[in-house]
Amino acid sequence: MALIAPPALAQDEGPIADPLPDPAVSRHGLVLEEFATLPKSESVPPPTDARLKRWARINYLGELPDHSHRLYVPDLNGKLYLLDRKGRSREYLDVGTAMGPDFWSHKGLGSGFGFVAFHPRFARNGIFYTVHTEARDALTTKPVDLAAPTTTRIHSVITEWTADNPRANTFSGTRREVMRLGFQDTYHDIQEINFNPNPRPWDKDYGLLYVAVGDGAAGVGGTVPQDLTAPQGKILRIDPLGHNGPGGKWGIPASNPFAGQQGRLGEIFAYGMRDPHRFSWDTGGRHQMFIGHIGEHRIESVYDAKAGDNFGWSNREGPFAYRKADNPTCGVFPLPADDAKNGYTYPVAAFDHNPPPDKPCSDSGNALIGGFVYRGWQVPALYGKYIYSEGVSGRIFYSDVREMRRGGPLATVHQLQVFDAGGAPTSMQALAGDKRVDLRFGTDRAGELYVLSKANGRIWKVSDAK
């Protein structure tokens, strides 16, 4: 199938009615084998937003870097679980309880215990990092480390934990606060923290922590994502064991694009983002870093990210112009003829969505959930394909990495079918038992792929493709 051409350049055209073609429905699909069901959990106090009333707000699966074959799963409601190879789970750490009454999980889709990242040397040093949300007294008693809005509604906090015994299945040890950031609203805070799995111990990127920071809803009507003095709307890269950052709590890598520059945050790796919800690295090929980016009203994007990139928000939404004012349709527009002067980096894959015609600026209920380039061995048909999804409906997509080229036309988006373990056609909505799937992805160190649903707290392993 032909690749999607970039939007035509124009100066004064109106909004684009249908910016991108629908995903191509593939003849092939994923066979999902049920692997685990996580314990039921609830936010405290109980949420009023129905979207937070889930069986368990599980949002990732990974494998500890210690050759123990233990998997880990964080639940936004506060707990970190370890799973064995048979899918049996046990509680490793209750982050919510450890953080006390300022822990915030009942308002904001990404609020709570958002993510966990284990240091590459975890087997030796026992160190891992979490990010969680705080509010209440924290807003007035705990100062933030970097620039924050005048009115702050939540904090995102990165914590370093050191386990007394890295081999233990229940945490015991110490912790210290690494970074605290403030946001003007209860969504688009710190989304993911993680380490690049590709570098060797002697490489510059080894042990550096990447931090995906949303714009805190400040970008839609302002310029914060383009402001290089503010952390919001950026990917940060820090040395969590270094000391040349503010207060000596982290280090600023000399390899960062703005390190040492006056009036710019040295922690910034890339910028111009609304909600860089998930990122991952291809463990084969060219080791590209892919960011799954949730758009404002029309465009969901995947970027191939490199140091210093500016993805354009909120002047751009995906590969189109975005206008903050005088835009009652909340649509996107063709790029100006002189766009090259801006130096923006555009997506390598994207799809659009359409809000109700009578409410063009309403939430359409679509969100791109970034996944992984499949480099496992159990499902050869997926090899070299970037697997991602529209997380609300649970539609699963892939794009061929060979087509995902910076500066080129957008790669084709293929929608995969879904089959149960017996090979019968089904859907993620049927497997999750809910129209709102809240789908997330995970992967083990062998590169095998997992699919998670908050709706019923279940995890499936991709066992085949047909």
Side-chain angles (χ1 to χ4, degrees), residues 211-422:
V211 183
V213 187
D215 70 356
V220 66
T223 60
V224 168
Q226 294 295 315
D227 182 355
L228 293 177
T229 68
Q232 295 83 9
K234 316 294 192 301
I235 299 288
L236 309 182
R237 182 171 64 176
I238 64 172
D239 178 0
L241 300 179
H243 302 289
N244 67 334
K249 297 196 296 181
W250 68 82
I252 299 174
S255 56
N256 278 6
F258 306 113
Q261 296 186 19
Q262 187 73 22
R264 296 180 174 186
L265 283 181
E267 292 86 352
I268 294 174
F269 176 79
Y271 64 109
M273 283 165 278
R274 175 182 181 269
D275 189 9
H277 184 263
R278 288 289 179 267
F279 59 86
S280 65
W281 288 266
D282 186 355
T283 56
R286 293 183 286 128
H287 292 173
Q288 294 154 280
M289 179 185 184
F290 291 112
I291 298 175
H293 186 271
I294 299 175
E296 174 65 23
H297 288 296
R298 289 294 191 273
I299 310 299
E300 307 293 310
S301 303
V302 179
Y303 293 93
D304 174 0
K306 294 184 178 181
D309 279 347
N310 178 1
F311 302 119
W313 176 251
S314 55
N315 300 316
R316 299 289 181 268
E317 185 175 352
F320 301 97
Y322 177 85
R323 298 180 184 175
K324 302 181 184 68
D326 191 28
N327 182 15
T329 67
C330 289
V332 292
F333 296 78
L335 299 176
D338 61 349
D339 182 65
K341 70 180 183 181
N342 298 300
Y344 295 136
T345 297
Y346 289 117
V348 292
F351 61 87
D352 67 1
H353 47 80
N354 298 302
D358 58 329
K359 297 180 179 179
C361 295
S362 65
D363 184 352
S364 65
N366 287 259
L368 188 150
I369 305 301
F372 302 90
V373 178
Y374 182 79
R375 296 294 182 184
W377 298 102
Q378 294 183 11
V379 192
L382 297 181
Y383 197 80
K385 295 177 172 56
Y386 179 72
I387 311 297
Y388 55 114
S389 82
E390 193 292 294
V392 178
S393 67
R395 291 177 295 158
I396 300 177
F397 306 125
Y398 81 83
S399 292
D400 195 314
V401 170
R402 294 172 298 180
E403 296 181 359
M404 300 170 74
R405 299 190 295 268
R406 289 169 60 100
L410 293 171
T412 303
V413 181
H414 302 266
Q415 180 175 337
L416 287 159
Q417 298 184 58
V418 176
F419 301 91
D420 64 21

